[in-house]
Amino acid sequence: MKSFFQKTAGVLPALAVAACLGTTAVMVSVLGSLPALAAEKPVQPEKNPPGDIPDSQVFIDYTSPQGFALKVPEGWARSDRADGASFVDKLDGVVVSVSKADAAPTVDSAKADYVAKLQASGRAVQVSAVKQVKLPAGTAIRIVYTSNSEPNAVTNRQVRLENERYLYFKDGKLVALELYAPKGADNVDQWQLMSSSFRWK
């Protein structure tokens, strides 16, 4: 079953960044032009990339009514959606989304399904890794890729993003955890904390 998230997953980070940059007006139109986004060329990463999550950042528990929980940064702007929630701070973001699935994803199925969707719907998506990882919640699939943000409505400036997507599966439920930040930002420890904190309720 294809959820709204799956159909638009490749542009969610870009849209969230666009919102931060004040480009809300173009967000709706983007959803109607997904095929054109894939043809976009990658923008150059920032030389001094913003987006580092401070080491002093406090993380709090987020419990979803859809049966899972994880730690998210305290103070980030939260938006609830029918299929999950997003947490955004400037150019950084966390998106969790739930859909139904018949079986747990494998590396092969993720490459055939998710990667194809990302490349078709995202902005200049370049996938660098699709791996199976073992986390406290069980086996998950980790997809690593870069993409362009939505252009700023005033300056037309874009930011090159780095993204990690984790796919967790249990009893017919698939949760996708998306983490994104400007390419070059150092968020390794913070992203590991959040992906490892995921648990089923």
Side-chain angles (χ1 to χ4, degrees):
M1 179 179 294
K2 296 179 180 177
S3 67
F4 176 79
F5 174 81
Q6 287 174 298
K7 295 176 182 176
T8 62
V11 298
L12 286 177
L15 293 176
V17 171
C20 292
L21 297 175
T23 57
T24 307
V26 301
M27 293 171 69
V28 174
S29 64
V30 169
L31 296 177
S33 59
L34 294 180
L37 305 182
E40 197 171 277
K41 293 183 179 179
V43 298
Q44 290 298 314
E46 300 285 329
K47 291 183 178 179
N48 298 300
D52 284 8
I53 300 175
D55 292 339
S56 59
Q57 174 69 53
V58 174
F59 290 83
I60 59 175
D61 290 329
Y62 164 71
T63 300
S64 168
Q66 304 202 56
F68 64 89
L70 77 160
K71 290 189 178 298
V72 297
E74 184 180 47
W76 287 25
R78 171 178 165 180
S79 297
D80 291 319
R81 307 180 342 207
D83 62 346
S86 64
F87 305 84
V88 175
D89 180 60
K90 301 182 178 72
L91 303 177
D92 290 57
V94 178
V95 182
V96 285
S97 181
V98 183
S99 61
K100 294 181 179 179
D102 295 330
T106 65
V107 170
D108 288 341
S109 68
K111 287 180 178 178
D113 187 13
Y114 276 86
V115 170
K117 288 186 174 69
L118 283 170
Q119 292 174 329
S121 63
R123 286 187 173 275
V125 169
Q126 294 181 333
V127 176
S128 59
V130 181
K131 297 182 178 179
Q132 186 181 75
V133 294
K134 291 186 177 180
L135 299 173
T139 299
I141 298 296
R142 175 174 174 258
I143 303 172
V144 181
Y145 67 97
T146 55
S147 62
N148 289 350
S149 72
E150 187 70 11
N152 180 279
V154 177
T155 65
N156 205 37
R157 177 173 171 267
Q158 290 178 283
V159 175
R160 190 65 179 163
L161 301 173
E162 57 185 23
N163 311 259
E164 288 192 7
R165 177 174 301 184
Y166 291 84
L167 305 177
Y168 307 85
F169 174 85
K170 184 179 180 182
D171 299 333
K173 186 180 293 184
L174 184 70
V175 174
L177 166 64
E178 183 86 21
L179 308 166
Y180 65 87
K183 182 174 173 56
D186 181 10
N187 292 322
V188 174
D189 292 340
Q190 293 84 349
W191 285 9
Q192 185 175 31
L193 183 155
M194 286 187 276
S195 61
S196 296
S197 71
F198 180 91
R199 58 192 183 277
W200 298 101
K201 300 294 285 186

